[in-house]
């Protein structure tokens, strides 16, 4: 099976016992952070490339933002790109993950807790939630 085979909310409810809830995790007093000049320049270059597929978009848009996030918080977090997260093959909890953010423990292994980034499927973010939930599980 694999993470990408989780396509419906009912699957994560029935197979993993996860009941998804919608909740605003951002506190009202969170202050915006100004992006660095490097990030602004890098993202401006992404317009030149005209990304047409998910891999290209993730390389030119998502990865620079994650690098910036980690650089500004490197004592707290690190991230993995294109890593395999094989937890339980029988349940379909295995496969490659686009991006995973983890608490920075100095280790080179992925350890819980993780923060998973979901990509929109067919231009609908809700279609990516089951795969994201399975990866976080």
């Amino acid at each position: 099976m694999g993470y990408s085979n989780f396509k419906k909310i009912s699957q994560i409810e029935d197979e993993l016992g996860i009941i998804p809830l919608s909740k605003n995790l951002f506190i009202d007093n969170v202050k915006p952070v100004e992006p660095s000049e490097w990030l602004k320049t890098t993202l401006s270059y992404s317009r030149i490339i005209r990304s047409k597929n998910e891999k290209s978009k993730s390389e030119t848009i998502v990865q620079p933002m994650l690098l910036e996030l980690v650089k500004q918080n490197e004592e707290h977090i690190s991230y993995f790109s294109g890593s395999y997260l094989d937890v339980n093959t029988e349940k379909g909890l295995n496969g490659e993950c686009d991006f995973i953010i983890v608490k920075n423990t100095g280790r080179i292994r992925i350890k819980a807790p993780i923060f998973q980034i979901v990509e929109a499927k067919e231009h609908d973010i809700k279609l990516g939630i089951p795969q994201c939930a399975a990866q976080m599980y």
Side-chain angles (χ1 to χ4, degrees):
M1 191 162 144
Y3 297 116
S4 61
N5 289 333
F6 285 91
K7 298 182 187 297
K8 296 181 179 183
I9 296 290
S10 60
Q11 280 181 280
I12 61 169
E13 290 175 346
D14 297 343
E15 296 173 30
L16 303 177
I18 296 173
I19 307 301
L21 302 172
S22 178
K23 184 175 182 179
N24 185 358
L25 298 177
F26 298 101
I27 304 167
D28 293 335
N29 63 357
V30 173
K31 295 179 179 109
V33 175
E34 183 67 27
S36 69
E37 287 304 315
W38 173 83
L39 181 59
K40 291 177 187 177
T41 301
T42 302
L43 291 177
S44 73
Y45 292 158
S46 70
R47 292 186 196 125
I48 298 168
I49 296 172
R50 303 197 196 292
S51 302
K52 296 195 187 244
N53 61 47
E54 293 307 315
K55 182 178 184 320
S56 175
K57 288 176 187 175
S58 73
E59 290 171 347
T60 59
I61 298 170
V62 178
Q63 185 149 357
M65 288 192 286
L66 290 175
L67 287 170
E68 177 90 353
L69 176 68
V70 170
K71 180 64 180 153
Q72 291 184 12
N73 299 281
E74 61 188 309
E75 68 278 3
H76 302 292
I77 61 172
S78 55
Y79 90 100
F80 296 84
S81 174
S83 294
Y84 284 87
L85 188 60
D86 294 337
V87 177
N88 185 327
T89 305
E90 290 176 11
K91 286 187 173 183
L93 300 173
N94 63 297
E96 185 177 354
C97 299
D98 293 330
F99 298 104
I100 301 172
I101 297 174
V102 297
K103 180 179 178 181
N104 187 355
T105 61
R107 293 182 166 188
I108 58 173
R109 278 184 56 212
I110 298 171
K111 297 280 284 177
I114 68 171
F115 182 86
Q116 185 62 42
I117 297 174
V118 64
E119 67 182 31
K121 307 285 185 187
E122 300 172 23
H123 303 289
D124 185 348
I125 195 72
K126 290 180 182 176
L127 295 177
I129 290 174
Q131 178 179 338
C132 181
Q135 290 171 343
M136 288 176 56
Y137 179 83

